[in-house]
Amino acid sequence: MRDSGQVGAIEWAIAGRPMPGQDVSGDQYVVVDAGDSALLAVIDGLGHGPVAAEAAFEAIKVLNANGGEPLDALMYLCHQSLAETRGVAMTLARFSLDDGELTWLGVGNVLGAVLRNAPVGSTSLAVALVGAGIVGHQLPPTMHIRGVTMHPGDVLLLGTDGLRPHFIEDPPLAQEVPSLADDILIRCRKETDDALVLAARYRGLAR
């Protein structure tokens, strides 16, 4: 599974695959052009196979239909809609297309980081703070939306736990985002779960 595109100043790409032996993946993604912002999400349906995919696709429907809503409201809407499913882990990120501000919110184990290309390797600017829980079954008592200011060239990575967590450690940021996502999937995927990574680069505002 591969896809890529651009929303305003954001170039994005995903690479993913189901667990070996499965035909469908419970690891999915959403990219929504919400006018003055772009909503990006990576969703990990609990487990794998059709029941995990069912939960993930229910979350996708909610996010696509409500992409302009605040992140905490989106999390609650998904939580309500997924009550009859296995549930998901999910991290949401919103880019302001006016000023490059990124806000994000996560529940479960979808890992996220913002990275900056450096003369030698890469520098981690921020790591997503995710709350313990399962969207659809138990949300954290409080959910904290955090923010970080993106600079031209900075990259957001979001990945499911089908990737080894070191995928955010010194990835080859000089590559275009489709190649970056492919590289991470190939190097860091596990053989025991679905896997998906989303990479998004902020290109900066046109002058």
Side-chain angles (χ1 to χ4, degrees):
M1 173 170 50
R2 288 172 174 81
D3 198 2
S4 62
Q6 183 164 348
V7 181
I10 307 302
E11 295 178 347
W12 63 270
I14 67 98
R17 54 140 223 192
M19 188 178 86
Q22 296 289 337
D23 295 324
V24 296
S25 176
D27 288 5
Q28 298 291 332
Y29 72 99
V30 167
V31 177
V32 177
D33 183 344
D36 60 352
S37 67
L39 173 70
L40 289 76
V42 167
I43 304 155
D44 184 347
L46 264 66
H48 48 77
V51 290
E54 176 188 7
F57 284 120
E58 183 64 29
I60 288 171
K61 288 196 305 183
V62 174
L63 296 174
N64 279 329
N66 301 278
E69 295 295 322
L71 298 183
D72 51 356
L74 287 172
M75 199 67 79
Y76 283 116
L77 287 170
C78 287
H79 182 65
Q80 293 170 347
S81 185
L82 271 64
E84 301 301 318
T85 72
R86 181 172 285 192
V88 304
M90 180 166 65
T91 293
L92 309 174
R94 187 181 301 282
F95 281 102
S96 169
L97 300 181
D98 294 329
D99 57 13
E101 187 73 13
L102 169 72
T103 53
W104 50 5
L105 174 65
V107 173
N109 52 8
V110 173
L111 184 60
V114 173
L115 303 170
R116 180 168 297 163
N117 206 14
V120 179
S122 59
T123 299
S124 177
L125 303 179
V127 176
L129 178 65
V130 295
I134 301 170
V135 182
H137 294 276
Q138 184 176 6
L139 292 181
T142 57
M143 292 189 291
H144 300 287
I145 299 173
R146 299 296 178 95
V148 59
T149 299
M150 303 283 284
H151 293 269
D154 290 351
V155 173
L156 167 71
L157 295 178
L158 297 174
T160 67
D161 68 346
L163 301 170
R164 296 178 183 88
H166 70 265
F167 79 90
I168 63 172
E169 298 175 6
D170 199 24
L173 295 185
Q175 299 187 72
E176 293 300 313
V177 288
S179 298
L180 174 60
D182 282 344
D183 180 273
I184 290 172
L185 181 68
I186 291 168
R187 288 188 300 106
C188 302
R189 68 190 184 192
K190 301 175 184 176
E191 295 298 319
T192 55
D193 201 356
D194 305 327
L196 184 138
V197 60
L198 183 152
R201 176 174 282 118
Y202 177 58
R203 285 300 190 184
L205 303 176
R207 299 296 181 184

